[in-house]
Each structure stands twice: as structure tokens, then as C-alpha cells.
């Protein structure tokens, strides 16, 4: 593999404590060196042999001019639905990772609710086989229970050997407390998280949007905030009890936190030193349940868009560090599946191509969250949670996965130009800030649009 | 689709058109929509609303066709969108939709682009019912013919009692009546009346005690318990009857001059006593009768025909 020099950019790598102008040398798919602007030009031809760098006039295809761009470790999404195997009319590994690359993601973690459910080593191996031709790094969290039925745990050890980044029944919670305890214990011993979809269906029977005045006006049944918080509280208690009884500091990852109530429980548990992490989806910090409007099924997802107060709490948690990372919950659906009665429409929206643009507009510009914190939320921390030790940083030796974006570029998202196979987004025509200019995976620039 | 965004001017013109239609000779009326095609698309059973819309359309000379979920390709899995496109291709110029899913009229309108009249969608809205209720209230309170504006019902208190959680009628009335200046009291136990119901309109108040609501009301609207929408909710009917039934004794003692309304279907002996339903304060049949001219007005408006 050849070398590549990225010059003139502003490097933000919280893991290395960098937030300044730096040049980066990539070699053999890894970060070789990071140094002062122009440093590599000075040493060209001596220490770094064969890089074709000669003097300050750097030319050639192996140099990428990142002037005006933020150079960040590649973005990582711990929560995507690629619908492959089984529902490739919605999305496939190829189209989903194409959308990921366009959105600046260099690694994505696929949820297990495929057909068949990813609950055994053979399905996991099929999914992670390079023959699937993902455009970015593809990882998976297999199911925590067989068929995600919530009855019997899957073979965590074998799945871990096969590359599992954690275990989840995403889409539904592991409701049985004894089973959840066993899951946390086994995953904890493997050093992997149990990623929980926190919802008590006993409190959300027939719910299709957030409980509250808007749901009442629309005549729709609502998910109360308690349905989320009660499962989070229960799981945190299980986590707490495992320390003295089993001596295991298990890792609970709470998916797509949407309520102030659940976030508060997580904040307290973190203060108590429990190993809990959580993610927030861009739609939850951008929109409220008012966005359902006239029964817009592209504003329907689970957990649902919440109240103004919940959104404010999430923004607070994103700013103060309670929230560990952003995750899109990219959930493609075919047009005909969404063009039906609101209460019958499937949950979920696409999100890979709008995550960075929303994070920069809403979090950075509208709420003053620094870019370094956004990189932390979208790369540094998800790498840690997903145990991707060579990702989420630009330190020498790390994977040469980078996202280069123009932080000042204002643009409008056009769903019809999406690279996902589906178009179910509430952000068609929405203002975005920050445009991805290049995505590098293992030192090679990914061109999602050019793919045949 | 919903009374929520219906401009006051529209409400006024519909009510006045309904009043004028009552005076138009049948033969003249029958020419107004002659040759026009109207489809009634009913995914839920209905007596009053369906018959009322159908008779309204026919009295205006329109050709109507009824499609119900039980005897159509809907049973074979045809979507609402495709059903709408099919009706449009068959020449329907307007679709009257009754559907168990809230918001279904929006799906249909977006799909086929035809005017859609909402004949009740899930727990969301029943606009024609709210409009005919206003019409009935105005007649009973001797306000018919007055200009329809924001203070028309100033000083009038309407107590809506019963299963408000599941009621599209309560939502439509709760949104429309306050805009005409009425005070709306919502009354019922918490299982049937969540606190957020008070957000329906400015002058909407929750009163848990039926007798105190009754004592303040000039209009009492009783609602049926919608067993089909209770969705597993545990509910003590006997206690409900005891606390919330509109009995002759309560009416005589607390609201001897109030107008009694019920959108139907009513369950005698549950939310309302026989004597009240059939008594002189009841305007229940008048509501039904008022529905025809009101729906004639809605159809003329939907098809762009002026009187």
C-alpha cells in the first residue's frame, strides 16, 4: 500500500489531545505520523523514504490538500440497520455502507434484526465476510437472545470469537430480569457491552408516538417516558448488584436515550462509578414530537420524538458529557411501507447522511458545543464503547480511517439524492452545517457516489 | 380533515350554507351535484354518519358508491393509497372516509389528491359531527343566524362527559367550541380523561366531578365508553355508572335548562338514562337531522359548487 500525506488541515483528535493544524502521514493503512504543518516536507526524502515528497512544493496524487477542512478520526456509528440479510429491498450492506461513507462514517455496527436474526456465528460470519463488499468497516452486534425472542441467551463466547462488538435485542428490550442479569454477566466477562433498547412494552401498549399533548391532539397512543426510564433503572440496578455478587463490572450500553428521566438515571449511575454508556440519536436532539405534524410517518421511530423538555435534557447531556456518543439508528424502509396509516407504519428513519450535518448545525452552532466534543461523540467514544482500539484516534499505529469535513459549509439535504436505498427521513430539505469532503478507510479514499 | 385548522370564516360559511340549504326545494337541490361522483369509503361501521353523508350526497343529485372494508379488495390487503387511486380512476371526485386509524384522511389525500371529507378517523377527529353539534347548540340556544365569530358562544359552558381519551368527537368539539367563545368542561375519570386533554383549547378545563360540571353547564354532551378502543384497560363500569351517568334526577337537580347532546351511538343505561335520552332536554335526534344539511354544505364546498 502506498503512502498518503494529508496536509494543511486542522486536526481534531480528542484521544491524542490534538486540536490544531497538523499534517498526517498515512502508510500501509495506518497512521504513520502526525506533525507540525510542513514538517513532512522538511524531512521528505530522508526519514520517509519513497514518499515522493520533495521540498515545500508538494505535488502528486499521494497528497491530499485539506486546507480549510477539519481532519478527524473516522466517524463511527454504533447503531445501524443494514437490513442484510433478508430485507435488501430496504437496504443492503453495500448501499448502507455507501450512505455511511457519504456521511463521513468509516465504521458502522450493524444491529441483529435481520432475516434471519443475527444470533449465531454462521450468520455473523456471513455478515462480516468481505464478500459482502462493505465500503466502510463493518462490525456487528449480534442478538443477545435466540431470535431476539427474549427467552434464551445466544452463545456469547462463540459470537465474541466471531467478532461481536456487544450483544443486543435492539428493537425490543431484554425484559426478563434474570435473563438480563445473565446477559450482563456473560458479556461483562467477555469485556463486551450489552446494548439495551430501553422500553417496557407493558407501559407502551399500542404506542406510536411520545405520550403528551401532541399525541392526545392527534388521537394517537403514546409511549410514556417511564417506559424508557423504568428499564434503564432496572438494568442499572442489575449492574450495581453484579459487582458484589459476581465481582464483575459489567458494561451496559443504553441505546438511543430519548427522555430526561432515563438520562438522569444514567447520570446518577455514572457518578456512582457504574460502567454505563449511552447514545443519543440526531433526530432526538433536533426534533420534538411536534414534528409528527399531520401524521408524518417519517417522524415515527422508536423511541419516539419526545417533548421540548426531553430534547433540552439531551442537549444538556450532550454538552456536559453524560451522553457518550451519537448513533443514528439508521433504519431504512421502503416508500410503500411508510405511505400508510401512521399507527401501522414501521418505526425508523434513515440517518447516516444527516448525522454530521445535524450535529454541527444543532449542537455546534445552535448550542455552542465545541467541534472537539462532537468528534468525541462521533468517533473517540463510540470506538471505546465498541472496543475498536485502533479506531477513533489519529495516533500513530491507529487505522488510517479519517473523515475530512468543511465545518462552515452550509447545505440542504436532498433525500432524493441519498445513497441509501430508502428515503424515509424527516430531514428532506433540512438545513445542514458541515459537509464531508473526504472519507478515508484504511488509508484509501472512499468514493461512495462512484460505485456502480 | 380536522377542525383544528379550519378558519372561522369557513365555519361560518358552512353553517350558513347548511341553514340556507334547509330552505331550498328538493328539486332544485337535486340539481346541484347532478352527475358528480362521490365515494364513501368506510373502514369502520357507522349508522348515522354514513347514512347522513349518503343521503346528503343523493339529495344533491350526486351518484354515490359505498366501499367498505368488509366487502372489497381491502380484505385482500389493498392499501389505503391504492384504494384511493382506484376510486379516483373510477371517476370519484370526492371521497368521504371513515377509518379506525387516526390521520388516515391525510394518507388518502396525499395519495390521491382528491378532496377528502373526514367522516371520523380513529381517536383523532370527527369534524362534521362537531359542526352539526355547533349547529344544534346554536338552534337550541336561539343563536342561529347570528354572525359566527369568536364570541358567538361567550358565556356558554359545554360539559363533555365520558370516554374522552378515545373520542374523536370530544377532540373536534374541544377544539372547535372554545374558538367560538364557549367554555368547555371535560369530565370523566382519569383512565378515560388524561390531564393533557386540557391542552385541546384555551378555554378547556378538566372537572373530575360530574355533578359540579353539570351544575355549570348550559350544554351537556355525553359520550359512549368505547369498549373497542379500551385496549386492555381495566375499568369498573358499575363505579363509572354511579359517578358519571346522566340521570333524570341529576339533570333536574343540577341542570334543568341544559341542552343534552349525544353523538351516538348511545348505550342507554350506561352513560345516559332512558328518561334523559327521550326527554324534552334531549336534542339527540335534532343532532342527527341537522347532520344532513350540514353534510350537504360540506359536499358542495368540497366540490366547489356555490348555492
Amino acid at each position: 500500500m502506498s503512502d498518503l500525506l494529508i496536509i494543511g488541515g486542522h486536526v481534531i483528535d480528542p484521544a491524542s489531545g490534538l486540536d490544531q493544524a497538523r499534517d498526517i502521514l498515512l502508510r500501509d493503512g495506518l497512521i504513520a505520523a502526525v506533525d507540525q504543518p510542513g514538517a513532512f516536507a522538511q524531512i521528505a526524502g530522508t526519514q520517509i523514504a519513497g514518499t515522493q515528497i520533495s521540498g515545500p512544493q508538494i505535488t502528486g496524487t499521494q497528497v491530499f490538500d485539506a486546507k480549510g477542512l477539519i481532519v478527524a478520526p473516522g466517524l463511527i456509528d454504533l447503531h445501524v440497520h443494514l437490513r442484510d440479510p433478508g430485507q435488501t429491498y430496504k437496504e443492503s450492506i453495500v448501499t448502507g455502507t455507501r450512505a455511511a461513507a457519504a456521511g463521513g462514517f468509516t465504521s458502522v455496527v450493524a444491529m441483529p434484526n435481520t432475516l434471519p436474526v443475527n444470533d449465531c456465528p454462521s450468520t455473523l460470519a456471513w455478515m462480516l465476510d468481505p464478500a459482502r463488499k462493505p465500503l466502510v468497516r463493518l462490525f456487528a452486534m449480534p442478538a443477545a437472545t435466540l431470535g431476539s425472542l427474549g427467552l434464551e441467551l445466544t452463545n456469547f463466547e462463540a459470537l465474541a470469537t466471531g467478532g461481536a462488538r456487544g450483544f443486543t435485542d435492539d428493537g425490543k428490550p431484554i425484559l426478563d430480569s434474570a435473563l438480563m442479569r445473565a446477559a450482563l454477566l456473560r458479556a461483562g466477562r467477555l469485556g463486551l457491552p450489552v446494548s439495551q433498547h430501553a422500553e417496557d412494552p407493558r407501559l407502551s401498549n399500542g404506542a406510536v408516538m411520545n405520550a403528551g399533548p401532541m399525541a392526545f391532539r392527534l388521537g394517537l397512543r403514546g409511549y410514556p417516558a417511564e417506559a424508557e426510564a423504568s428499564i434503564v433503572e432496572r438494568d442499572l440496578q442489575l449492574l450495581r448488584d453484579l459487582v458484589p455478587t459476581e465481582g464483575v463490572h459489567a458494561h451496559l450500553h443504553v441505546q438511543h436515550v430519548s427522555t430526561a428521566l432515563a438520562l438522569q438515571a444514567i447520570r446518577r449511575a455514572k457518578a456512582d462509578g457504574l460502567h454505563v454508556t449511552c447514545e443519543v440519536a440526531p433526530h432526538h436532539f433536533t426534533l420534538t414530537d411536534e414534528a409528527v405534524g399531520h401524521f408524518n410517518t417519517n417522524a415515527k421511530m422508536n423511541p419516539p420524538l419526545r417533548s421540548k423538555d426531553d430534547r433540552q435534557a439531551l442537549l444538556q447531556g450532550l454538552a456536559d458529557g453524560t451522553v457518550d456518543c451519537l448513533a443514528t439508528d439508521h433504519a431504512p424502509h421502503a416508500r410503500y411501507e411508510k405511505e400508510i396509516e401512521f399507527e401501522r407504519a414501521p418505526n425508523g428513519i434513515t440517518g447516516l447522511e444527516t448525522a454530521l450535518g445535524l450535529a454541527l448545525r444543532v449542537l455546534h452552532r445552535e448550542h455552542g458545543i465545541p467541534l472537539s466534543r462532537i468528534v468525541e461523540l462521533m468517533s473517540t467514544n463510540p470506538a471505546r464503547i465498541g472496543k475498536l482500539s485502533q479506531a477513533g484516534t489519529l495516533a500513530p499505529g491507529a487505522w488510517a480511517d479519517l473523515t475530512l469535513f468543511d465545518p462552515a459549509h452550509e447545505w440542504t439535504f436532498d433525500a432524493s439524492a441519498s445513497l441509501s436505498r430508502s428515503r424515509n427521513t424527516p430531514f428532506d430539505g433540512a438545513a445542514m452545517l458541515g459537509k464531508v469532503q473526504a472519507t478515508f478507510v484504511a488509508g484509501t479514499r472512499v468514493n461512495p457516489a462512484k460505485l456502480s | 380533515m380536522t377542525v383544528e385548522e379550519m378558519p372561522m370564516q369557513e365555519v361560518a360559511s358552512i353553517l350558513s350554507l347548511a341553514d340556507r340549504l334547509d330552505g331550498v326545494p328538493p328539486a332544485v337541490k337535486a340539481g346541484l351535484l347532478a352527475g358528480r361522483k362521490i365515494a364513501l369509503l368506510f373502514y369502520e361501521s357507522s349508522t348515522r354518519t354514513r347514512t347522513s353523508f349518503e343521503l346528503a350526497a343523493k339529495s344533491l343529485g350526486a351518484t354515490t358508491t359505498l366501499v367498505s372494508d368488509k366487502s372489497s379488495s381491502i380484505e385482500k390487503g389493498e392499501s389505503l393509497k391504492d384504494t384511493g387511486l382506484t376510486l379516483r380512476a373510477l371517476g370519484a371526485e370526492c371521497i368521504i372516509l371513515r377509518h379506525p386509524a387516526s390521520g388516515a384522511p391525510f394518507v388518502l389525500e396525499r395519495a390521491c389528491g382528491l378532496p377528502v371529507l373526514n367522516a371520523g378517523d380513529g381517536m383523532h377527529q370527527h369534524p362534521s359531527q362537531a359542526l352539526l353539534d355547533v349547529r344544534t347548540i346554536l338552534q337550541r340556544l336561539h343563536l342561529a343566524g347570528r354572525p359566527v365569530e369568536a364570541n358567538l358562544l361567550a358565556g356558554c359552558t359545554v360539559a363533555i362527559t365520558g370516554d374522552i381519551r378515545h373520542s374523536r368527537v370530544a377532540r373536534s368539539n374541544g377544539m372547535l367550541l372554545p374558538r367560538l367563545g364557549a367554555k368547555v368542561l371535560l369530565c370523566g375519570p382519569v383512565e378515560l380523561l388524561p390531564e393533557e386533554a386540557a391542552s385541546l383549547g384555551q378555554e378547556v378545563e378538566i372537572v373530575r366531578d360530574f355533578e359540579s360540571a353539570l351544575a355549570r353547564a348550559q350544554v351537556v354532551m355525553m359520550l359512549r365508553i368505547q369498549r373497542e378502543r379500551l385496549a386492555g384497560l381495566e375499568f369498573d363500569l358499575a363505579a363509572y355508572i354511579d359517578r358519571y351517568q346522566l340521570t333524570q334526577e341529576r339533570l333536574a337537580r343540577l341542570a334543568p335548562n341544559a341542552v343534552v347532546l349525544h353523538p351516538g351511538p348511545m348505550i342507554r343505561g350506561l352513560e345516559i338514562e332512558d328518561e334523559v335520552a327521550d326527554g324534552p332536554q334531549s336534542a339527540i335526534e335534532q343532532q342527527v337531522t341537522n347532520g344532513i344539511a350540514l353534510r350537504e354544505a360540506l359536499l358542495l364546498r368540497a366540490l366547489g359548487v356555490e348555492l
Side-chain angles (χ1 to χ4, degrees):
Chain A
M1 231 180 275
S2 61
D3 293 348
L4 179 80
L5 193 54
I6 294 176
I7 59 160
H10 182 99
V11 171
I12 297 182
D13 179 24
S16 316
L18 282 178
D19 190 349
Q20 55 249 109
R22 281 290 182 274
D23 290 351
I24 302 182
L25 181 69
L26 316 181
R27 173 175 292 165
D28 297 334
L30 301 177
I31 305 287
V34 181
D35 212 333
Q36 302 285 344
F40 298 117
Q42 302 302 321
I43 57 171
T46 52
Q47 283 99 325
I48 306 171
T51 53
Q52 296 185 9
I53 297 163
S54 54
Q57 290 84 35
I58 297 165
T59 53
T61 54
Q62 291 154 304
V63 174
F64 189 95
D65 185 356
K67 189 164 182 291
L69 303 183
I70 299 291
V71 179
L75 308 183
I76 299 166
D77 191 344
L78 290 176
H79 193 145
V80 300
H81 298 272
L82 299 181
R83 311 298 190 203
D84 197 355
Q87 293 177 309
T88 49
Y89 66 97
K90 296 177 195 250
E91 193 77 286
S92 68
I93 287 173
V94 171
T95 59
T97 54
R98 228 164 123 183
F105 290 95
T106 56
S107 292
V108 294
V109 179
M111 291 293 112
N113 63 336
T114 45
L115 291 176
V117 171
N118 180 15
D119 63 357
C120 64
S122 60
T123 304
L124 178 62
W126 183 92
M127 202 182 274
L128 300 182
D129 189 327
R132 302 285 87 75
K133 297 196 186 326
L135 267 79
V136 303
R137 294 183 200 269
L138 174 61
F139 300 94
M141 274 199 200
T145 70
L146 291 172
S148 283
L149 295 173
L151 299 172
E152 193 184 338
L153 293 186
T154 52
N155 188 341
F156 282 22
E157 294 73 18
L159 290 165
T161 305
R165 312 318 300 180
F167 306 94
T168 182
D169 280 352
D170 178 45
K172 38 192 170 179
I174 303 166
L175 206 54
D176 183 283
S177 296
L179 200 64
M180 183 60 182
R181 182 186 185 278
L184 284 167
L185 181 59
R186 268 173 81 181
R189 285 182 171 143
L190 292 164
L192 292 171
V194 174
S195 193
Q196 177 78 300
H197 171 114
E199 176 201 343
D200 188 339
R202 295 165 297 196
L203 298 177
S204 57
N205 186 17
V208 294
M209 70 173 290
N210 181 46
M214 186 69 182
F216 187 83
R217 296 177 80 81
L218 294 175
L220 296 172
R221 296 178 199 271
Y223 295 88
E226 292 75 17
E228 178 172 277
S230 64
I231 293 291
V232 171
E233 299 266 16
R234 193 273 318 254
D235 290 349
L236 291 171
Q237 191 55 46
L238 292 172
L239 209 57
R240 199 170 270 123
D241 293 345
L242 280 177
V243 181
T245 55
E246 307 283 347
V248 172
H249 281 275
H251 178 186
L252 171 71
H253 179 69
V254 186
Q255 299 182 320
H256 41 49
V257 176
S258 66
T259 63
L261 213 53
L263 193 63
Q264 191 51 32
I266 292 165
R267 186 178 280 120
R268 281 194 305 267
K270 285 188 163 194
D272 293 346
L274 293 182
H275 191 185
V276 55
T277 54
C278 70
E279 66 190 35
V280 162
H283 46 270
H284 286 127
F285 69 64
T286 304
L287 302 173
T288 66
D289 57 3
E290 298 281 331
V292 173
H294 286 161
F295 302 89
N296 179 6
T297 55
N298 284 335
K300 182 183 178 187
M301 70 290 290
N302 180 11
L305 297 173
R306 298 286 190 180
S307 69
K308 284 189 180 67
D309 288 348
D310 288 314
R311 175 174 177 253
Q312 283 309 316
L314 297 184
L315 288 165
Q316 178 60 38
L318 285 158
D320 71 18
T322 307
V323 175
D324 295 279
C325 65
L326 301 188
T328 64
D329 195 2
H330 178 81
H333 291 292
R335 191 164 60 97
Y336 74 86
E337 294 174 305
K338 282 287 199 179
E339 281 185 346
I340 63 170
E341 298 85 331
F342 189 89
E343 51 202 66
R344 290 182 54 217
N347 286 308
I349 61 169
T350 59
L352 284 163
E353 291 160 281
T354 49
L356 184 68
L358 291 171
L360 261 63
R361 173 168 71 84
V362 179
L363 301 182
H364 179 57
R365 185 165 67 191
E366 294 169 13
H367 292 86
I369 294 177
L371 288 176
S372 59
R373 170 69 179 147
I374 287 170
V375 174
E376 197 173 284
L377 286 164
M378 299 186 79
S379 181
T380 323
N381 290 350
R384 283 182 188 147
I385 295 164
K387 306 293 189 289
L388 304 172
S389 60
Q390 281 185 283
T393 176
L394 298 175
W399 288 334
D401 296 358
L402 300 91
T403 302
L404 277 59
F405 61 93
D406 176 354
H409 189 123
E410 310 216 20
W411 56 291
T412 301
F413 181 62
D414 173 7
S416 70
S418 170
L419 295 177
S420 166
R421 188 160 284 163
S422 294
R423 301 283 183 271
N424 51 309
T425 168
F427 297 115
D428 188 23
M432 302 279 149
L433 177 67
K435 185 97 173 163
V436 173
Q437 300 296 346
T439 305
F440 292 89
V441 175
T444 302
R445 188 171 180 190
V446 183
N447 190 343
K450 220 181 138 190
L451 194 92
S452 57
Chain B
M1 307 280 248
T2 156
V3 297
E4 193 174 4
E5 287 141 27
M6 186 180 274
M8 191 55 64
Q9 224 179 327
E10 286 278 326
V11 176
S13 76
I14 290 162
L15 290 171
S16 115
L17 184 55
D19 286 349
R20 280 183 285 138
L21 280 163
D22 273 342
V24 175
V28 177
K29 236 190 218 183
L32 291 171
L33 291 182
R36 310 295 296 265
K37 289 182 189 150
I38 294 170
L40 293 116
L41 180 52
F42 275 64
Y43 285 75
E44 220 180 43
S45 42
S46 163
T47 305
R48 264 159 303 278
T49 307
R50 199 197 79 198
T51 315
S52 177
F53 265 118
E54 191 172 347
L55 290 175
K58 287 193 161 132
S59 70
L60 295 169
T63 301
T64 65
T65 181
L66 171 69
V67 179
S68 93
D69 59 328
K70 301 288 187 313
S71 55
S72 66
S73 287
I74 296 161
E75 275 201 321
K76 301 173 190 166
E78 188 163 38
S79 69
L80 180 56
K81 171 178 172 166
D82 288 322
T83 305
L85 293 176
T86 302
L87 291 173
R88 186 181 71 182
L90 288 167
E93 297 168 80
C94 167
I95 302 176
I96 298 160
L97 178 69
R98 157 71 59 100
H99 200 288
S102 299
F106 289 96
V107 177
L108 184 63
E109 191 196 46
R110 284 193 283 258
C112 71
L114 293 177
V116 173
L117 291 177
N118 184 358
D121 61 328
M123 308 187 293
H124 178 226
Q125 288 276 306
H126 197 343
S128 62
Q129 180 71 43
L131 289 164
L132 73 86
D133 288 342
V134 168
R135 189 166 192 239
T136 308
I137 292 169
L138 295 178
Q139 289 169 357
R140 282 282 180 142
L141 298 182
H142 309 293
L143 294 167
R146 296 268 189 95
V148 174
E149 52 193 23
N151 64 355
L152 177 65
L153 286 173
C156 173
T157 298
V158 182
I160 305 178
T161 303
D163 188 358
I164 287 156
R165 182 190 288 273
H166 302 111
S167 173
R168 52 195 173 215
V169 176
R171 283 175 179 79
S172 284
N173 273 299
M175 286 176 179
L176 183 57
L177 291 169
R179 293 177 59 203
L180 296 167
K183 170 99 193 164
V184 171
L185 308 180
L186 300 177
C187 186
V190 71
E191 304 95 299
L192 302 181
L193 173 56
E195 287 295 328
E196 57 261 30
S199 66
L200 279 182
Q202 286 288 331
E203 285 295 312
V204 177
E205 185 186 329
I206 290 181
V207 179
R208 298 283 174 202
D209 179 51
F210 183 41
E211 298 204 345
S212 39
L214 211 48
R216 291 166 62 185
Q218 284 79 52
V219 178
V220 184
M221 185 183 297
M222 301 306 294
L223 301 175
R224 176 179 70 96
I225 306 272
Q226 300 193 32
R227 292 185 200 222
E228 71 274 27
R229 295 192 221 272
L230 284 180
L233 203 67
E234 298 280 334
F235 194 72
D236 183 349
L237 270 185
Y240 179 80
I241 290 170
D242 189 46
R243 286 183 62 195
Y244 293 101
Q245 188 181 63
L246 184 59
T247 61
Q248 187 54 45
E249 185 277 322
R250 276 184 172 135
L251 192 63
R253 175 162 53 87
L254 298 161
N257 298 310
V259 182
V260 174
L261 302 180
H262 195 305
M266 63 183 156
I267 310 295
R268 290 170 184 252
L270 208 163
E271 70 271 12
I272 193 164
E273 240 181 17
D274 272 332
E275 291 83 339
V276 177
D278 299 329
Q281 287 176 254
S282 166
I284 297 171
E285 283 177 44
Q286 192 177 343
Q287 285 174 277
V288 177
T289 308
N290 271 333
I292 298 186
L294 193 283
R295 289 177 173 120
E296 286 170 353
L298 290 173
L299 286 167
L300 289 178
R301 171 176 158 271
L303 290 169
V305 173
E306 309 231 342
L307 183 64

